[in-house]
């Protein structure tokens, strides 16, 4: 069982036996949850109709039925396939997020960004698009305070806690085990409700089953390393998340976990991407590089922009 096999998906390497059992169990759980949910919905529909007909809770029995209908309404449906069924808490984000004031950046006599102004407010989902080499990463770096503009100012709010998934491959210590690497960042994270989620559970969410958590990082595939790196960024519990072309080296399964994470994420997301599907799911406005330092805006989805 310690041998690593390649599954059909190509990019996904894992312990074969365990992973198949894991998938099977997950499918079983989902089927069961779906059945239960259908039942709940039917019952709820019936009880709500009964309530609407003006049922009066005169007898104790009727009172109990009203209570039950109310309780049914309160119950949550099951989480959809593979999604995170908890909202991970993040550090409180104040009104001040990021402000760019008249920012210009020039490299080798080429104006990448000229007199750029931007105000990022809480809850925003921003996509940055444009051709290769036009300055997208440079803009992201300057908004994150990683590089100083040639002129102008970037102001980052006091409460801002940045998580940055970079485009270039970061160094990872290959002699560390997967679980050690994540625990070095955080042993636990808390949900929005204050419940504790362990590093092991988060790894499972990010498609590292328990046996795989004991693997050395050097044995992981390129895609798995990127997935692990992504999780590490999220374990920092950022409230402003920078993503530089995440769809380039993450497999589709990881992307759907990331999209689910972002959906419940209360903070700001700023992402560079060329991926129409990802952008449509994640962002609601765009910063568009037109070339020669000209940057325009679009309020709406990427598909609408196209
Ligand atoms: N520190 C630097 N010094 C000099 N030139 C730089 C520096 N950083 C970036 N550049 C140049 O600036 C241009 C824009 O780079 P940047 O990485 O921001 O583009 P990008 O839009 O992110 O490209 P890609 O789509 O390939 O990721 C490139 O021509 C790059 O070579
Ligand atoms: Mg780039």
């Amino acid at each position: 069982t310690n041998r690593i096999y390649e599954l059909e998906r190509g990019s996904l390497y894992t312990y074969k036996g365990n992973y198949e059992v894991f998938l099977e169990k997950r499918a079983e759980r989902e089927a069961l949850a779906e059945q239960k949910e259908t039942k709940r919905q039917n019952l709820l529909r019936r009880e709500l109709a009964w309530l609407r007909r003006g049922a009066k809770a005169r007898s104790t029995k009727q009172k109990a039925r009203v209570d039950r209908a109310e309780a049914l309404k309160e119950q949550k449906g099951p989480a959809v396939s593979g999604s995170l069924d908890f909202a991970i808490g993040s550090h409180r984000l104040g009104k001040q997020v990021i402000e760019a004031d008249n920012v210009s950046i020039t490299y080798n006599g080429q104006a990448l960004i000229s007199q750029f102004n931007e105000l990022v407010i809480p809850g925003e989902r921003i996509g940055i698009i444009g051709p290769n080499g036009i300055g997208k990463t440079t803009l992201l770096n300057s908004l994150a305070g990683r590089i100083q503009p040639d002129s102008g100012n970037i102001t980052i709010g006091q409460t801002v806690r940045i998580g940055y998934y970079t485009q270039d491959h970061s160094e990872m210590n290959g002699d560390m085990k997967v679980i050690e690497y994540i625990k070095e960042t955080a042993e636990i994270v808390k949900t929005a409700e204050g419940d504790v989620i362990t590093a092991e559970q988060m790894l499972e969410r990010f498609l590292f089953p328990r046996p795989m958590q004991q693997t050395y990082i050097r044995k992981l595939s390129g895609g798995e390393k990127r997935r692990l790196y992504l999780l590490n960024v999220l374990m920092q519990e950022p409230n402003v998340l920078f993503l530089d072309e995440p769809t380039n080296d993450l497999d589709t399964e990881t992307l759907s976990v990331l999209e689910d994470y972002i959906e419940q994420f209360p903070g700001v997301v700023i992402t560079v991407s060329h991926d129409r599907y990802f952008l449509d799911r994640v962002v609601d406005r765009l910063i568009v590089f037109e070339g020669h330092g000209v940057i325009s805006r679009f309020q709406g989805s990427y598909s609408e922009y196209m």
Side-chain angles (χ1 to χ4, degrees), residues 105-108 110 112-113 128-141 147 167 244-245 248 272 274 289:
I105 299 177
T106 299
Y107 282 135
N108 313 319
Q110 285 261 28
L112 295 182
I113 299 166
I128 299 175
I129 61 171
N132 291 119
I134 197 106
K136 301 181 298 297
T137 299
T138 305
L139 177 62
L140 216 54
N141 280 335
I147 55 169
Q167 185 177 24
D244 199 352
E245 310 226 13
N248 277 8
V272 173
H274 297 287
F289 275 81

Side-chain angles (χ1 to χ4, degrees), residues 195-208:
D195 295 330
V196 166
I197 303 172
T198 64
E200 286 87 352
Q201 287 170 318
M202 281 302 284
L203 277 162
E204 279 183 329
R205 294 288 167 163
F206 280 78
L207 315 169
F208 290 100

Side-chain angles (χ1 to χ4, degrees), residues 47-174:
E47 295 301 90
L48 286 180
W50 176 72
L51 279 177
R52 267 198 301 274
R53 281 199 303 273
K56 295 254 161 51
R58 282 194 204 95
S59 68
T60 335
K61 215 170 153 187
Q62 277 173 325
K63 169 94 173 47
R65 191 171 172 185
V66 172
D67 287 347
R68 193 180 59 177
E70 294 296 339
L72 270 176
K73 265 201 296 194
E74 291 301 306
Q75 270 176 34
K76 283 198 200 97
V80 275
S81 176
S83 73
L84 299 165
D85 50 12
F86 48 81
I88 294 162
S90 72
H91 294 263
R92 197 193 68 83
L93 183 60
K95 282 201 196 96
Q96 300 273 358
V97 185
I98 297 168
E99 190 172 354
D101 178 26
N102 222 20
V103 166
S104 299
I105 299 177
T106 299
Y107 282 135
N108 313 319
Q110 285 261 28
L112 295 182
I113 299 166
S114 72
Q115 300 181 334
F116 176 79
N117 293 293
E118 181 62 68
L119 183 67
V120 179
I121 59 171
E124 280 202 298
R125 305 293 155 111
I126 304 168
I128 299 175
I129 61 171
N132 291 119
I134 197 106
K136 301 181 298 297
T137 299
T138 305
L139 177 62
L140 216 54
N141 280 335
S142 65
L143 290 174
R146 290 187 162 207
I147 55 169
Q148 284 299 317
D150 298 330
S151 64
N153 277 308
I154 300 281
T155 316
I156 298 174
Q158 294 276 321
T159 58
V160 168
R161 197 166 152 142
I162 291 172
Y164 198 133
Y165 178 90
T166 59
Q167 185 177 24
D168 45 299
H169 291 223
S170 55
E171 280 300 312
M172 279 174 158
N173 180 358

Side-chain angles (χ1 to χ4, degrees), residues 200-229:
E200 286 87 352
Q201 287 170 318
M202 281 302 284
L203 277 162
E204 279 183 329
R205 294 288 167 163
F206 280 78
L207 315 169
F208 290 100
R210 302 265 167 157
M212 204 177 178
Q213 295 176 14
Q214 300 302 326
T215 307
Y216 288 102
I217 288 176
R218 66 181 129 83
K219 293 195 177 171
L220 298 179
S221 72
E224 285 165 347
K225 281 186 193 152
R226 294 300 283 168
R227 192 202 306 150
L228 187 63
Y229 165 64

